[in-house]
Amino acid sequence: RYGMRGLAEIDFGRPRWREQPAQVMQMVQNYLRIDDPNMAPDAVFGRGVAAAQATVDRMAAAASRSGPFGFLKARLIRGMAERARALSGLRESPKFMIIQLFGLARKEILKMGASLVEAGVLAQAEDVLFLRLAEQRELADTPPAQMDKTAWRALVTQRRHVYDREMARRQVPRIILSDGTAFFDGFDESQAGEEVEGVLWGSPVSAGVVEGTVHVVLDPYTAHLLPGEILVCPGTDPAWTPLFLSAGGLVMEVGGLMTHGSVVAREYGIPGVVGVRDATTRLVTGQRIRVDGSSGEIVVL
């Protein structure tokens, strides 16, 4: 049902779960490793529901004591909370439908790629995704016998080379201005006082303090995140979300209070710090750290 989804799924060229299901299998394996009943997904969500309801109850109680028509205010608060909980998920519907269409279109284009492989024009079906739409149309309208197979293969090879080079970049710009100027530095640690060895600083985005083992993840497709490990990564998108159920905390190189990883960390109740300069290189898998999602301090223990 959800095979059309995947990592960086808005990128038409990235593989879908139905093509590379290993990530889904690894996520299920990670969930099965959770031996603390309080950390099970249903328990985590249950606590979230209880906390939300307690907040609504406090707001309604305060409104009912706020003077005339307090009981009406309380009913309004409960009604609005109920509607928000029932309908807020609809905000995901447009993207969900778009990604479904992407999945269908990608499937058909890969069929075209397979036929071009049979004709000897391309080396593999995925090569068709390195061609622009006008070039794909040109190939579709040209009989195989008239195609310059050497030129098409050379074009794909050149573009794959550029793609592979860009994918090797370890650091994502924290800010890109409209003129293309890129800033890579994260949180200015001088703001937090004199820089101390073994202490990193970032923007606090999800409250709480946790100690755990670092797990640097650059690609969620290959991640084996054990329960309680601290997820350290350049940034996240919706395809990373299943890892949050196993993570004990979050550290990201980019992001702010309202970016994807920050919001999900708060939803799942795990401490989070973002905008940490060179986090994926300054922290190493296996280190033990303390993450303070209230102050933004990360201490290597």
Side-chain angles (χ1 to χ4, degrees), residues 112-142:
M112 173 187 175
S115 66
L116 290 170
V117 171
E118 292 180 6
V121 179
L122 301 178
Q124 51 188 340
E126 290 79 8
D127 285 349
V128 73
L129 296 165
F130 284 88
L131 301 176
R132 298 186 174 93
L133 188 58
E135 294 165 342
Q136 293 177 356
R137 285 176 174 152
E138 180 183 344
L139 281 172
D141 295 337
T142 305

mmCIF file of all heavy atoms in Angstrom, residues 112-142:
data_model
loop_
_atom_site.group_PDB
_atom_site.id
_atom_site.type_symbol
_atom_site.label_atom_id
_atom_site.label_comp_id
_atom_site.label_asym_id
_atom_site.label_seq_id
_atom_site.Cartn_x
_atom_site.Cartn_y
_atom_site.Cartn_z
ATOM 1 N N MET A 112 10.140 2.108 -19.721
ATOM 2 C CA MET A 112 10.767 2.672 -20.919
ATOM 3 C C MET A 112 12.271 2.459 -20.866
ATOM 4 O O MET A 112 12.896 2.096 -21.874
ATOM 5 C CB MET A 112 10.449 4.166 -20.993
ATOM 6 C CG MET A 112 11.172 4.907 -22.112
ATOM 7 S SD MET A 112 10.902 6.691 -22.014
ATOM 8 C CE MET A 112 11.976 7.252 -23.336
ATOM 9 N N GLY A 113 12.853 2.649 -19.688
ATOM 10 C CA GLY A 113 14.281 2.430 -19.544
ATOM 11 C C GLY A 113 14.672 0.991 -19.842
ATOM 12 O O GLY A 113 15.699 0.733 -20.482
ATOM 13 N N ALA A 114 13.836 0.051 -19.380
ATOM 14 C CA ALA A 114 14.122 -1.365 -19.640
ATOM 15 C C ALA A 114 14.105 -1.661 -21.137
ATOM 16 O O ALA A 114 14.940 -2.435 -21.642
ATOM 17 C CB ALA A 114 13.107 -2.240 -18.908
ATOM 18 N N SER A 115 13.164 -1.051 -21.868
ATOM 19 C CA SER A 115 13.103 -1.274 -23.318
ATOM 20 C C SER A 115 14.324 -0.673 -24.013
ATOM 21 O O SER A 115 14.818 -1.222 -25.012
ATOM 22 C CB SER A 115 11.817 -0.674 -23.887
ATOM 23 O OG SER A 115 11.825 0.736 -23.772
ATOM 24 N N LEU A 116 14.840 0.449 -23.495
ATOM 25 C CA LEU A 116 16.038 1.053 -24.082
ATOM 26 C C LEU A 116 17.281 0.216 -23.776
ATOM 27 O O LEU A 116 18.232 0.206 -24.558
ATOM 28 C CB LEU A 116 16.208 2.476 -23.542
ATOM 29 C CG LEU A 116 15.170 3.491 -24.031
ATOM 30 C CD1 LEU A 116 15.286 4.797 -23.258
ATOM 31 C CD2 LEU A 116 15.336 3.751 -25.528
ATOM 32 N N VAL A 117 17.277 -0.478 -22.651
ATOM 33 C CA VAL A 117 18.375 -1.403 -22.360
ATOM 34 C C VAL A 117 18.363 -2.550 -23.363
ATOM 35 O O VAL A 117 19.412 -2.954 -23.891
ATOM 36 C CB VAL A 117 18.265 -1.937 -20.918
ATOM 37 C CG1 VAL A 117 19.280 -3.070 -20.677
ATOM 38 C CG2 VAL A 117 18.498 -0.815 -19.907
ATOM 39 N N GLU A 118 17.170 -3.076 -23.637
ATOM 40 C CA GLU A 118 17.045 -4.157 -24.627
ATOM 41 C C GLU A 118 17.518 -3.703 -26.000
ATOM 42 O O GLU A 118 18.087 -4.492 -26.765
ATOM 43 C CB GLU A 118 15.592 -4.632 -24.705
ATOM 44 C CG GLU A 118 15.105 -5.349 -23.455
ATOM 45 C CD GLU A 118 13.660 -5.786 -23.584
ATOM 46 O OE1 GLU A 118 13.089 -5.629 -24.691
ATOM 47 O OE2 GLU A 118 13.092 -6.274 -22.594
ATOM 48 N N ALA A 119 17.291 -2.419 -26.307
ATOM 49 C CA ALA A 119 17.708 -1.895 -27.604
ATOM 50 C C ALA A 119 19.193 -1.538 -27.647
ATOM 51 O O ALA A 119 19.714 -1.152 -28.692
ATOM 52 C CB ALA A 119 16.877 -0.663 -27.955
ATOM 53 N N GLY A 120 19.864 -1.638 -26.503
ATOM 54 C CA GLY A 120 21.291 -1.344 -26.450
ATOM 55 C C GLY A 120 21.624 0.122 -26.308
ATOM 56 O O GLY A 120 22.789 0.512 -26.431
ATOM 57 N N VAL A 121 20.606 0.960 -26.014
ATOM 58 C CA VAL A 121 20.841 2.403 -25.902
ATOM 59 C C VAL A 121 21.381 2.759 -24.515
ATOM 60 O O VAL A 121 22.258 3.603 -24.379
ATOM 61 C CB VAL A 121 19.539 3.181 -26.186
ATOM 62 C CG1 VAL A 121 19.774 4.685 -26.052
ATOM 63 C CG2 VAL A 121 19.013 2.841 -27.575
ATOM 64 N N LEU A 122 20.850 2.127 -23.485
ATOM 65 C CA LEU A 122 21.254 2.394 -22.113
ATOM 66 C C LEU A 122 21.842 1.139 -21.485
ATOM 67 O O LEU A 122 21.534 0.016 -21.904
ATOM 68 C CB LEU A 122 20.057 2.874 -21.283
ATOM 69 C CG LEU A 122 19.356 4.154 -21.764
ATOM 70 C CD1 LEU A 122 18.161 4.463 -20.873
ATOM 71 C CD2 LEU A 122 20.324 5.333 -21.794
ATOM 72 N N ALA A 123 22.658 1.343 -20.453
ATOM 73 C CA ALA A 123 23.286 0.205 -19.776
ATOM 74 C C ALA A 123 22.353 -0.416 -18.753
ATOM 75 O O ALA A 123 22.391 -1.626 -18.519
ATOM 76 C CB ALA A 123 24.587 0.647 -19.110
ATOM 77 N N GLN A 124 21.508 0.401 -18.111
ATOM 78 C CA GLN A 124 20.567 -0.092 -17.121
ATOM 79 C C GLN A 124 19.321 0.781 -17.145
ATOM 80 O O GLN A 124 19.371 1.941 -17.569
ATOM 81 C CB GLN A 124 21.191 -0.114 -15.732
ATOM 82 C CG GLN A 124 21.837 1.177 -15.313
ATOM 83 C CD GLN A 124 22.615 1.055 -14.019
ATOM 84 O OE1 GLN A 124 22.400 0.139 -13.242
ATOM 85 N NE2 GLN A 124 23.531 1.968 -13.769
ATOM 86 N N ALA A 125 18.203 0.219 -16.678
ATOM 87 C CA ALA A 125 16.926 0.921 -16.792
ATOM 88 C C ALA A 125 16.936 2.260 -16.066
ATOM 89 O O ALA A 125 16.348 3.245 -16.535
ATOM 90 C CB ALA A 125 15.801 0.035 -16.262
ATOM 91 N N GLU A 126 17.615 2.354 -14.904
ATOM 92 C CA GLU A 126 17.631 3.596 -14.126
ATOM 93 C C GLU A 126 18.328 4.733 -14.850
ATOM 94 O O GLU A 126 18.158 5.908 -14.488
ATOM 95 C CB GLU A 126 18.301 3.359 -12.774
ATOM 96 C CG GLU A 126 17.494 2.502 -11.806
ATOM 97 C CD GLU A 126 17.585 1.021 -12.113
ATOM 98 O OE1 GLU A 126 18.403 0.640 -12.996
ATOM 99 O OE2 GLU A 126 16.847 0.240 -11.480
ATOM 100 N N ASP A 127 19.117 4.425 -15.891
ATOM 101 C CA ASP A 127 19.811 5.476 -16.632
ATOM 102 C C ASP A 127 18.829 6.460 -17.264
ATOM 103 O O ASP A 127 19.172 7.626 -17.487
ATOM 104 C CB ASP A 127 20.692 4.866 -17.723
ATOM 105 C CG ASP A 127 21.953 4.227 -17.156
ATOM 106 O OD1 ASP A 127 22.235 4.445 -15.955
ATOM 107 O OD2 ASP A 127 22.642 3.513 -17.904
ATOM 108 N N VAL A 128 17.611 6.004 -17.561
ATOM 109 C CA VAL A 128 16.637 6.890 -18.206
ATOM 110 C C VAL A 128 16.294 8.075 -17.303
ATOM 111 O O VAL A 128 15.867 9.130 -17.782
ATOM 112 C CB VAL A 128 15.363 6.092 -18.584
ATOM 113 C CG1 VAL A 128 14.540 5.760 -17.344
ATOM 114 C CG2 VAL A 128 14.527 6.862 -19.601
ATOM 115 N N LEU A 129 16.495 7.923 -15.988
ATOM 116 C CA LEU A 129 16.188 9.002 -15.054
ATOM 117 C C LEU A 129 17.245 10.098 -15.063
ATOM 118 O O LEU A 129 17.050 11.146 -14.447
ATOM 119 C CB LEU A 129 16.036 8.436 -13.641
ATOM 120 C CG LEU A 129 14.860 7.462 -13.485
ATOM 121 C CD1 LEU A 129 14.977 6.670 -12.209
ATOM 122 C CD2 LEU A 129 13.541 8.218 -13.528
ATOM 123 N N PHE A 130 18.353 9.871 -15.755
ATOM 124 C CA PHE A 130 19.370 10.908 -15.904
ATOM 125 C C PHE A 130 19.172 11.721 -17.182
ATOM 126 O O PHE A 130 20.015 12.542 -17.537
ATOM 127 C CB PHE A 130 20.769 10.282 -15.900
ATOM 128 C CG PHE A 130 21.227 9.869 -14.529
ATOM 129 C CD1 PHE A 130 20.924 8.612 -14.032
ATOM 130 C CD2 PHE A 130 21.931 10.749 -13.717
ATOM 131 C CE1 PHE A 130 21.327 8.237 -12.762
ATOM 132 C CE2 PHE A 130 22.341 10.376 -12.445
ATOM 133 C CZ PHE A 130 22.032 9.123 -11.964
ATOM 134 N N LEU A 131 18.072 11.478 -17.859
ATOM 135 C CA LEU A 131 17.734 12.225 -19.071
ATOM 136 C C LEU A 131 16.619 13.212 -18.784
ATOM 137 O O LEU A 131 15.721 12.932 -17.990
ATOM 138 C CB LEU A 131 17.300 11.264 -20.182
ATOM 139 C CG LEU A 131 18.327 10.207 -20.602
ATOM 140 C CD1 LEU A 131 17.728 9.265 -21.626
ATOM 141 C CD2 LEU A 131 19.592 10.866 -21.136
ATOM 142 N N ARG A 132 16.675 14.366 -19.422
ATOM 143 C CA ARG A 132 15.625 15.358 -19.263
ATOM 144 C C ARG A 132 14.388 14.922 -20.035
ATOM 145 O O ARG A 132 14.447 14.051 -20.913
ATOM 146 C CB ARG A 132 16.120 16.726 -19.731
ATOM 147 C CG ARG A 132 17.304 17.229 -18.914
ATOM 148 C CD ARG A 132 17.697 18.657 -19.301
ATOM 149 N NE ARG A 132 18.732 19.162 -18.404
ATOM 150 C CZ ARG A 132 20.032 19.075 -18.643
ATOM 151 N NH1 ARG A 132 20.457 18.483 -19.752
ATOM 152 N NH2 ARG A 132 20.914 19.543 -17.786
ATOM 153 N N LEU A 133 13.259 15.553 -19.706
ATOM 154 C CA LEU A 133 11.992 15.139 -20.307
ATOM 155 C C LEU A 133 12.032 15.245 -21.828
ATOM 156 O O LEU A 133 11.556 14.349 -22.540
ATOM 157 C CB LEU A 133 10.853 15.995 -19.735
ATOM 158 C CG LEU A 133 9.437 15.571 -20.102
ATOM 159 C CD1 LEU A 133 9.163 14.138 -19.663
ATOM 160 C CD2 LEU A 133 8.421 16.519 -19.456
ATOM 161 N N ALA A 134 12.607 16.334 -22.349
ATOM 162 C CA ALA A 134 12.688 16.493 -23.805
ATOM 163 C C ALA A 134 13.535 15.387 -24.431
ATOM 164 O O ALA A 134 13.230 14.898 -25.534
ATOM 165 C CB ALA A 134 13.266 17.864 -24.147
ATOM 166 N N GLU A 135 14.580 14.975 -23.717
ATOM 167 C CA GLU A 135 15.433 13.895 -24.238
ATOM 168 C C GLU A 135 14.705 12.566 -24.207
ATOM 169 O O GLU A 135 14.853 11.738 -25.131
ATOM 170 C CB GLU A 135 16.715 13.842 -23.413
ATOM 171 C CG GLU A 135 17.588 15.081 -23.572
ATOM 172 C CD GLU A 135 18.672 15.198 -22.509
ATOM 173 O OE1 GLU A 135 18.551 14.530 -21.465
ATOM 174 O OE2 GLU A 135 19.633 15.955 -22.719
ATOM 175 N N GLN A 136 13.914 12.338 -23.162
ATOM 176 C CA GLN A 136 13.121 11.113 -23.118
ATOM 177 C C GLN A 136 12.106 11.076 -24.260
ATOM 178 O O GLN A 136 11.882 10.029 -24.873
ATOM 179 C CB GLN A 136 12.413 11.007 -21.763
ATOM 180 C CG GLN A 136 13.360 10.802 -20.588
ATOM 181 C CD GLN A 136 12.645 10.767 -19.250
ATOM 182 O OE1 GLN A 136 11.448 10.975 -19.181
ATOM 183 N NE2 GLN A 136 13.380 10.503 -18.182
ATOM 184 N N ARG A 137 11.502 12.231 -24.537
ATOM 185 C CA ARG A 137 10.545 12.292 -25.656
ATOM 186 C C ARG A 137 11.250 12.020 -26.990
ATOM 187 O O ARG A 137 10.705 11.346 -27.866
ATOM 188 C CB ARG A 137 9.880 13.673 -25.683
ATOM 189 C CG ARG A 137 8.834 13.861 -24.586
ATOM 190 C CD ARG A 137 8.281 15.268 -24.588
ATOM 191 N NE ARG A 137 7.191 15.407 -23.636
ATOM 192 C CZ ARG A 137 6.857 16.527 -23.028
ATOM 193 N NH1 ARG A 137 7.557 17.633 -23.276
ATOM 194 N NH2 ARG A 137 5.850 16.586 -22.183
ATOM 195 N N GLU A 138 12.458 12.564 -27.129
ATOM 196 C CA GLU A 138 13.220 12.325 -28.362
ATOM 197 C C GLU A 138 13.492 10.834 -28.536
ATOM 198 O O GLU A 138 13.344 10.287 -29.649
ATOM 199 C CB GLU A 138 14.527 13.110 -28.320
ATOM 200 C CG GLU A 138 15.393 12.925 -29.561
ATOM 201 C CD GLU A 138 16.717 13.666 -29.460
ATOM 202 O OE1 GLU A 138 16.844 14.547 -28.592
ATOM 203 O OE2 GLU A 138 17.642 13.342 -30.253
ATOM 204 N N LEU A 139 13.879 10.169 -27.471
ATOM 205 C CA LEU A 139 14.122 8.728 -27.544
ATOM 206 C C LEU A 139 12.840 7.973 -27.867
ATOM 207 O O LEU A 139 12.852 6.994 -28.633
ATOM 208 C CB LEU A 139 14.709 8.226 -26.227
ATOM 209 C CG LEU A 139 16.202 8.468 -26.013
ATOM 210 C CD1 LEU A 139 16.599 8.088 -24.593
ATOM 211 C CD2 LEU A 139 17.031 7.681 -27.022
ATOM 212 N N ALA A 140 11.724 8.408 -27.271
ATOM 213 C CA ALA A 140 10.454 7.724 -27.513
ATOM 214 C C ALA A 140 10.015 7.854 -28.964
ATOM 215 O O ALA A 140 9.331 6.965 -29.497
ATOM 216 C CB ALA A 140 9.382 8.286 -26.586
ATOM 217 N N ASP A 141 10.402 8.952 -29.619
ATOM 218 C CA ASP A 141 9.960 9.207 -30.997
ATOM 219 C C ASP A 141 10.952 8.720 -32.048
ATOM 220 O O ASP A 141 10.686 8.828 -33.243
ATOM 221 C CB ASP A 141 9.728 10.713 -31.199
ATOM 222 C CG ASP A 141 8.591 11.243 -30.357
ATOM 223 O OD1 ASP A 141 7.715 10.431 -29.970
ATOM 224 O OD2 ASP A 141 8.578 12.454 -30.056
ATOM 225 N N THR A 142 12.114 8.210 -31.606
ATOM 226 C CA THR A 142 13.153 7.797 -32.545
ATOM 227 C C THR A 142 13.235 6.274 -32.627
ATOM 228 O O THR A 142 13.353 5.616 -31.594
ATOM 229 C CB THR A 142 14.523 8.359 -32.107
ATOM 230 O OG1 THR A 142 14.442 9.772 -31.957
ATOM 231 C CG2 THR A 142 15.597 8.025 -33.136
#
